[in-house]
């Protein structure tokens, strides 16, 4: 097991002699080593701004310093809070493998994304019920308020409208104000993986492995249980049975349960009836699409939090263009900032924003992932089956990464979905490919030209 804190400390000692003291203090000292993925050290940066600056100016130095440590690590990736959810398994593994750090206060517990707090949530008509219910539950978990029961609290609404943010906000609030309570957040995908692992380990006799018993213990020994995206609960796996029992037990003991889904319980086709009626038994609160005023407020908040600056025109432009998904709205803002950074315009104006988002608008005229894969394959002369295969020949890898990059840039598909398009690769691989091509464009004009040519093919 790799001890990442030790390696990072060693890396820092090499770095400190290469970098000015101010730069070290401003950028490097604020990085937290989280885990290892594919021989790459994953470092958490405190903001998008920090991530951009470090990638641009210090990445190569970090890589070289890492090399000097003689560990098995060959590279470092800088991520921000929002991206930690893609590494939950690796982070957990790193935590188990790492002895307690000498200064535990400095090491983050990444269960809850620190930026996802109530204060950073913009409240308006479309989400005020969900917001106030979440706040009330955070303050008084498990208790019934008058005749209105908030248990379970079921928050539903389209993707990118703040459900996960609210769950983390509840988690952050309770961690701070009611530290004795045990609160557990779990995405349905992770719950399912844990369950499958528990079932398959059940008879293995391997100590330390997650068994069915420890699985149940883990989820019933809590005061607050939050399950994100329950529309992914599959039928007939036995998991719904287990969730039903855990639910009843927690509920009867006055423990708080909070669930989210992209639709109300009655529309989740895969849900067994008895679970559906449990889910409907408390408060159902929806989150809807924000109006223009809220969207503007959300962009401003994000700019404030991330210390970003863009022209006012740009704020309106973004708020008008992206009206149904806040994640896309935030993504568009980040893209404008990243693009402006790439062309050395630290304070982007409306033309820069339009240029940066040119390809986003194209998605409306119907380019889809298979068009992109097709174009990339013919450009690089590789076949579709090669591009989604596990082959690691250089030209295939380049084509694959380019296709992944273009899909992340031109379409707003979830990373998990993109992973599935490429033969079931996981989302961290997708992030890695995307960032590789993004970085390659800065260093290599040939890559810039390739991307441009392929986009021209797609448009023409
Ligand atoms: P969901 O879980 O509903 O798909 P998320 O909670 O992941 O959506 O939200 C997507 C992004 O939008 C997050 O970065 C979140 O912080 C942001 N966001 C959503 N709603 C709001 C809001 N009302 N105010 C500020 N940011 C928001
Ligand atoms: Mg979510």
């Amino acid at each position: 097991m790799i001890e990442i804190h030790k390696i990072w400390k060693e890396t820092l000692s090499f770095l400190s002699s290469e970098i000015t003291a101010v730069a070290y203090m401003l950028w490097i000292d604020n990085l937290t080593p989280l885990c290892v993925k594919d021989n790459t050290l994953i470092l958490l940066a405190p903001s998008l701004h920090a991530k951009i600056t470090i990638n641009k100016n210090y990445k190569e130095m970090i890589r070289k310093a890492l090399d000097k440590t003689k560990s098995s690590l060959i590279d470092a990736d800088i991520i921000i809070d929002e991206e930690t959810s893609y590494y939950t398994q690796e982070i957990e593994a790193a935590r188990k493998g790492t002895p307690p750090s000498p200064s535990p206060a400095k090491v983050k517990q990444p269960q809850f994304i620190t930026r996802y707090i109530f204060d950073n949530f913009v409240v308006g008509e479309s989400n005020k019920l969900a917001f106030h219910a979440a706040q009330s539950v955070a303050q008084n978990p498990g208790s019934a308020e008058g005749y209105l029961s908030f248990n379970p609290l079921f928050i539903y609404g389209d993707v990118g409208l703040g459900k996960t943010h609210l769950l983390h906000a509840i988690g952050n609030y309770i961690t701070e104000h009611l530290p004795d309570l045990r609160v557990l957040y779990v995405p349905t995908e992770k719950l399912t993986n844990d369950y499958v692992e528990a079932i398959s380990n059940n008879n293995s006799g391997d100590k330390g492995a997650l068994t069915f018993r420890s699985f149940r213990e883990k989820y019933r020994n809590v005061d607050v249980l939050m399950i994100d995206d329950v529309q992914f609960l599959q039928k007939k796996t036995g998991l719904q049975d287990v969730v039903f029992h855990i639910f009843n037990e927690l509920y009867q003991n006055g423990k708080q349960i909070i669930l989210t889904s992209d639709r109300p319980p009655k529309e989740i086709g895969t849900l067994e009836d008895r679970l559906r009626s449990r889910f409907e038994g408390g408060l159902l609160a929806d989150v809807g699409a924000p109006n223009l005023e809220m969207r503007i407020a959300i962009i401003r908040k994000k700019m404030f939090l991330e210390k970003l600056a863009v022209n006012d025109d740009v704020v309106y432009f973004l708020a008008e263009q992206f009206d149904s998904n806040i994640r896309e709205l935030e993504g568009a803002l980040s893209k404008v900032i990243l693009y402006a950074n790439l062309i050395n315009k630290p304070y982007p104006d409306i033309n820069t924003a339009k240029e940066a988002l040119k390809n986003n608008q194209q998605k409306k005229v119907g380019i889809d992932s298979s068009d992109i894969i097709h174009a990339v394959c013919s450009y690089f002369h590789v076949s579709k089956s090669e591009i989604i295969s596990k082959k690691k020949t250089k030209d295939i890898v380049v084509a694959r990464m380019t296709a992944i990059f273009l899909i992340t840039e031109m379409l707003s598909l979830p990373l998990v979905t993109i992973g599935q398009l490429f033969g079931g690769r996981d989302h961290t691989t997708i992030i890695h490919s995307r960032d590789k091509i993004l970085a390659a464009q800065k260093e290599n004009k040939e890559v810039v030209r390739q991307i441009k040519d392929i986009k021209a093919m797609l448009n023409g």
Side-chain angles (χ1 to χ4, degrees):
M1 184 61 74
I2 304 175
E3 285 180 27
I4 55 170
H5 291 280
K6 203 171 129 214
I7 294 176
W8 181 236
K9 222 170 130 189
E10 210 182 323
T11 311
L12 286 178
S13 69
F14 291 121
L15 272 172
S16 59
S17 57
E18 307 258 320
I19 289 177
T20 66
V22 175
Y24 182 88
M25 209 175 71
L26 270 178
W27 306 114
I28 306 301
D29 206 27
N30 286 326
L31 290 169
T32 311
L34 282 185
C35 62
V36 170
K37 165 94 192 174
D38 298 338
N39 290 4
T40 300
L41 179 65
I42 309 299
L43 297 162
L44 179 70
S47 67
L48 179 63
H49 179 58
K51 171 174 164 158
I52 293 171
T53 311
I54 295 162
N55 272 334
K56 191 168 168 188
N57 303 321
Y58 306 108
K59 184 78 179 285
E60 195 49 41
M61 288 182 196
I62 296 177
R63 199 179 293 145
K64 284 190 180 137
L66 206 52
D67 201 41
K68 290 189 195 154
T69 65
K70 307 259 182 300
S71 68
S72 56
L73 302 178
I74 50 172
D75 202 354
D77 272 352
I78 316 290
I79 66 166
I80 49 176
D81 256 349
E82 286 93 317
E83 292 165 327
T84 52
S85 58
Y86 300 122
Y87 295 90
T88 38
Q89 279 175 11
E90 287 81 11
I91 291 171
E92 211 171 285
R95 222 179 16 222
K96 281 183 196 155
T98 312
S101 146
S103 57
K106 263 204 87 179
V107 182
K108 272 193 154 153
Q109 287 289 333
Q111 190 188 2
F112 300 114
I113 295 177
T114 45
R115 193 176 71 76
Y116 287 0
I117 52 177
F118 289 124
D119 276 347
N120 294 349
F121 195 82
V122 174
V123 187
E125 273 313 309
S126 59
N127 59 17
K128 64 179 188 208
L129 175 63
F131 176 81
H132 290 298
Q135 227 178 12
S136 154
V137 155
Q139 286 158 4
N140 288 304
S143 76
E145 181 147 310
Y147 59 89
L148 198 60
S149 163
F150 286 14
N151 204 9
L153 170 60
F154 191 102
I155 302 173
Y156 68 92
D158 275 338
V159 27
L161 296 181
K163 302 181 295 294
T164 299
H165 186 135
L166 286 176
L167 293 190
H168 283 260
I170 295 171
N172 280 315
Y173 184 96
I174 295 178
T175 309
E176 187 184 351
H177 294 94
L178 304 164
D180 293 338
L181 293 190
R182 292 155 303 174
V183 38
L184 184 60
Y185 163 87
V186 64
T188 299
E189 207 185 352
K190 165 117 178 33
L191 186 73
T192 309
N193 289 343
D194 273 7
Y195 176 73
V196 172
E197 190 189 328
I199 295 289
S200 64
N201 283 342
N202 214 24
N203 302 318
S204 72
D206 175 4
K207 288 223 169 80
L210 186 66
T211 60
F212 189 59
R213 196 191 165 94
S214 57
F215 170 85
R216 280 200 39 198
E217 289 304 306
K218 171 174 172 185
Y219 289 102
R220 51 192 271 245
N221 271 328
V222 296
D223 300 295
V224 180
L225 178 63
M226 306 194 271
I227 311 181
D228 205 358
D229 287 318
V230 295
Q231 76 273 10
F232 292 133
L233 274 175
Q234 301 294 330
K235 232 182 176 151
K236 294 202 188 91
T237 55
L239 177 59
Q240 291 203 20
D241 244 11
V242 180
V243 172
F244 180 76
H245 290 294
I246 293 173
F247 184 107
N248 288 342
E249 195 174 335
L250 290 174
Y251 183 83
Q252 275 153 19
N253 293 324
K255 310 297 187 193
Q256 179 72 47
I257 300 147
I258 309 153
L259 309 149
T260 75
S261 159
D262 66 353
R263 63 203 96 154
K266 66 172 186 305
E267 287 172 25
I268 308 177
T270 51
L271 212 57
E272 285 163 16
D273 284 341
R274 55 183 186 160
L275 208 47
R276 183 192 327 275
S277 75
R278 287 291 183 279
F279 286 180
E280 283 172 339
L283 181 74
L284 296 181
D286 71 322
V287 287
N291 61 20
L292 182 66
E293 196 191 338
M294 266 176 84
R295 300 199 297 274
I296 290 172
I298 289 168
I299 300 178
R300 291 206 190 287
K301 185 128 230 169
K302 170 109 177 163
M303 284 166 48
F304 172 77
L305 292 171
E306 299 261 356
K307 301 189 185 61
L308 305 173
V310 302
N311 219 312
D312 263 354
D313 297 353
V314 177
V315 175
Y316 283 92
F317 172 70
L318 292 174
E320 294 222 301
Q321 292 279 318
F322 297 87
D323 56 1
S324 55
N325 179 328
I326 298 169
R327 187 176 298 123
E328 279 180 26
L329 179 66
E330 290 185 340
L333 175 65
S334 301
K335 197 180 263 182
V336 170
I337 303 275
L338 283 167
Y339 178 79
N341 198 270
L342 197 67
I343 61 167
N344 290 323
K345 264 201 180 173
Y347 187 69
D349 59 16
I350 185 81
N351 290 327
T352 313
K354 284 188 175 157
E355 183 65 26
L357 298 172
K358 214 167 52 195
N359 300 314
N360 273 64
Q361 283 141 19
Q362 279 165 7
K363 76 172 185 243
K364 300 204 167 77
V365 290
I367 290 178
D368 65 18
S369 57
S370 63
D371 297 329
I372 296 175
I373 292 177
H374 185 77
V376 170
C377 285
S378 66
Y379 185 86
F380 287 105
H381 303 290
V382 300
S383 71
K384 189 176 170 208
S385 60
E386 283 172 325
I387 219 173
I388 63 175
S389 72
K390 299 248 174 311
K391 281 194 195 150
K392 292 219 159 80
T393 329
K394 184 157 180 254
D395 52 341
I396 298 175
V397 171
V398 169
R400 185 181 298 135
M401 285 189 171
T402 307
I404 289 174
F405 168 78
L406 284 167
I407 290 175
T408 60
E409 204 201 46
M410 300 177 74
L411 311 175
S412 46
L413 291 176
L415 295 170
V416 183
T417 311
I418 301 175
Q420 281 156 2
L421 290 172
F422 287 85
R425 289 182 153 77
D426 82 18
H427 19 333
T428 54
T429 311
I430 304 301
I431 296 179
H432 187 73
S433 303
R434 179 197 66 192
D435 289 355
K436 269 257 144 57
I437 299 291
L438 203 61
Q441 286 184 83
K442 290 193 191 180
E443 287 153 16
N444 190 337
K445 290 224 160 57
E446 173 65 12
V447 179
V448 178
R449 195 181 57 75
Q450 286 171 349
I451 298 284
K452 212 170 135 200
D453 286 351
I454 298 169
K455 283 182 182 170
M457 276 167 74
L458 282 162
N459 293 322

